[in-house]
Amino acid sequence: MTSIAVIGAGPAGLMAAEVLARGGARVTVYDAMPSAGRKFLMAGRGGLNLTHSEPLPQFMARYREAAPNLKAAIDAFSPDALRAWSEALGEPTFVGTSGRVFPKAFKASPLLRAWLRRLDAAGVRFAFRHRWTGWDAEGRLQFQTPDGALAIAAARATVLALGGASWPRLGSDGGWVDTFAARGIAVSKLRPANSGFTVAWSDVFRDRFEGQPLKGVALTIGAHTVRGEAMITRSGIEGGAIYALSAELREAVLDLGQATLTIALRPDLDTAALTTRLSGTRGKQSLANFLRKAVQLSPVGIGLMQEVAIASGRPLASFSPAELAHLINAVLVQLTGMASIERAISTAGGIALDELDELFMLRKLPGVFAAGEMLDWEAPTGGYLLQASFATGAAAGRGVLQWLEKS
């Protein structure tokens, strides 16, 4: 049996270990944390979104420019294959109303426990509290251990699945970037993805609407529009619809120092229909009650309109029906920055995909393979993140086995 090291006990690393063990390799999984799958478990707290049920062409489009590099891996370990894999571990899945796929247990812990039992039965060993620090002069792996000692391990091949830099307290801190850059491997700067953005809310708006959702809205930046929900936070805005636009919003902030987000509060009604509804007699109703009854605006939506009116120097009550109708579907919110990378759901950037060959092996480091979020790809939430992590982990595991056959 050939000794293989897998560094990183998240979904990509564990999947690589499973493929390798099934192929007859002796596998040791190293991780800096005291246990496996820390971020995976956190992702499952609100319902583990494993993958998505939409047709594969639309599914692949979510990966944008990285799609061509990920296609073979996802074709080989597709959303249907991931669902079958979960069911084989005793965790059948279901498709939610949004098309997202979840295990019926709706959390990660039962799936992870079953997976670790399978890996243990396959002979996979684990070495926790081993923080990888690079290679020694002889090409052996180096690890920092809790007692301060330096552990050395020789492996016939290595799969690196070290993650990005979001939620570093769960194990992925991006500390590997300098190690690769020093070896001449192109690494794009790690940046927050699927993250919130900062907004300079007024004190009144912040104190009243922090934690309030905007439901059924349409968010637009440039040519990109997404329907969904967003959440007002004390420092800005976040949520699923924001995450779906996070790449475009992030690039605008980086290029211009800010981004203008357009929010349509009633996207199913055009300006003419809204104007007609708002042209009725208000009577003794407050403007807020009138907007709530005439066009079914939520208090937080009305609060957003008040923010725009304050910024324009005019009270909202002075707006004509036509002006109100226009504003309802064109609330402009200035995003002043990004939330910290530590709080992002995932990260963009990482090892450039053209640094890898078709086996997911680093061209400049024969016998070293990479998978998961440490590669330069990003995707919105909705199952795409875990799907690509599982798929690239499986691809790296297969790549090791194929490379060993040839070498």
Side-chain angles (χ1 to χ4, degrees):
M1 297 178 72
T2 303
S3 177
I4 308 298
V6 174
I7 305 176
L14 295 179
M15 185 56 73
E18 179 173 341
V19 170
L20 287 162
R22 195 165 59 234
R26 186 172 69 249
V27 183
T28 300
V29 178
Y30 297 87
D31 198 276
M33 303 304 288
S35 59
R38 290 290 182 102
K39 189 177 176 184
F40 183 64
L41 288 172
M42 187 194 74
R45 285 181 183 175
L48 183 66
N49 186 192
L50 279 174
T51 186
H52 202 285
S53 62
E54 69 185 349
L56 205 54
Q58 290 94 309
F59 189 99
M60 289 306 306
R62 309 297 184 180
Y63 299 101
R64 298 187 172 101
E65 64 274 7
N69 298 85
L70 298 177
K71 187 177 186 306
I74 293 176
D75 282 345
F77 193 76
S78 67
D80 286 343
L82 178 51
R83 296 184 68 182
W85 170 86
S86 180
E87 185 160 0
L89 284 170
E91 294 298 326
T93 61
F94 72 95
V95 179
T97 55
S98 64
R100 299 182 181 199
V101 175
F102 303 88
K104 288 187 177 179
F106 215 58
K107 53 186 177 180
S109 51
L111 180 60
L112 181 60
R113 284 195 299 268
W115 194 7
L116 293 175
R117 286 194 297 270
R118 176 193 278 179
L119 292 173
D120 180 67
V124 175
R125 296 178 59 251
F126 287 87
F128 294 116
R129 296 187 174 90
H130 277 60
R131 180 175 295 278
W132 181 67
T133 59
W135 295 272
D136 69 7
E138 297 178 29
R140 298 174 300 179
L141 300 166
Q142 297 183 137
F143 299 91
Q144 195 70 43
T145 59
D147 59 7
L150 189 65
I152 303 295
R156 183 69 181 85
T158 301
V159 176
L160 297 168
L162 296 163
S166 61
W167 292 94
R169 65 182 179 82
L170 300 177
S172 299
D173 59 10
W176 51 267
V177 169
D178 291 343
T179 301
F180 285 91
R183 289 182 171 251
I185 294 169
V187 179
S188 298
K189 182 180 179 181
L190 297 177
R191 307 178 304 282
N194 293 298
S195 68
F197 291 81
T198 57
V199 181
W201 301 127
S202 68
D203 291 341
V204 171
F205 182 85
R206 178 188 299 114
D207 292 341
R208 182 173 179 188
F209 296 112
E210 176 188 1
Q212 295 294 309
L214 286 164
K215 296 184 177 182
V217 296
L219 307 183
T220 299
I221 179 171
H224 303 276
T225 298
V226 170
R227 298 279 294 262
E229 295 189 10
M231 180 75 70
I232 302 299
T233 68
R234 189 153 193 84
S235 60
I237 191 167
E238 61 182 35
I242 293 291
Y243 302 154
L245 289 174
S246 64
E248 290 78 19
L249 294 171
R250 181 188 65 235
E251 296 311 309
V253 169
L254 291 174
D255 290 344
L256 306 173
Q258 63 177 15
T260 301
L261 176 69
T262 303
I263 302 179
L265 299 172
R266 291 302 315 275
D268 292 323
L269 292 175
D270 62 21
T271 302
L274 288 168
T275 301
T276 298
R277 293 190 182 197
L278 293 168
S279 296
T281 303
R282 197 172 95 189
K284 295 182 179 180
Q285 296 180 86
S286 68
L287 178 59
N289 275 338
F290 178 64
L291 291 171
R292 180 174 58 82
K293 292 178 180 179
V295 290
Q296 291 75 55
L297 289 183
S298 65
V300 64
I302 297 168
L304 275 177
M305 293 172 65
Q306 294 280 12
E307 287 284 277
V308 173
I310 291 169
S312 72
R314 288 178 58 194
L316 192 62
S318 71
F319 281 46
S320 69
E323 289 174 321
L324 287 171
H326 174 76
L327 178 58
I328 285 169
N329 281 338
V331 178
L332 302 183
V333 176
Q334 297 299 322
L335 309 183
T336 59
M338 296 174 286
S340 69
I341 195 169
E342 292 81 9
R343 298 287 296 179
I345 291 175
S346 60
T347 49
I351 297 173
L353 292 172
D354 59 9
E355 291 281 2
L356 306 174
D357 66 12
E358 69 281 0
L359 301 180
F360 279 74
M361 184 172 71
L362 288 161
R363 301 178 194 276
K364 296 172 184 173
L365 295 174
V368 178
F369 300 72
E373 200 180 334
M374 70 183 298
L375 304 179
D376 187 10
W377 60 271
E378 65 177 306
T381 57
Y384 311 103
L385 295 168
L386 278 176
Q387 177 69 55
S389 294
F390 281 115
T392 56
R398 292 191 304 271
V400 171
L401 296 174
Q402 293 176 46
W403 181 74
L404 290 173
E405 286 181 2
K406 297 175 183 177
S407 58

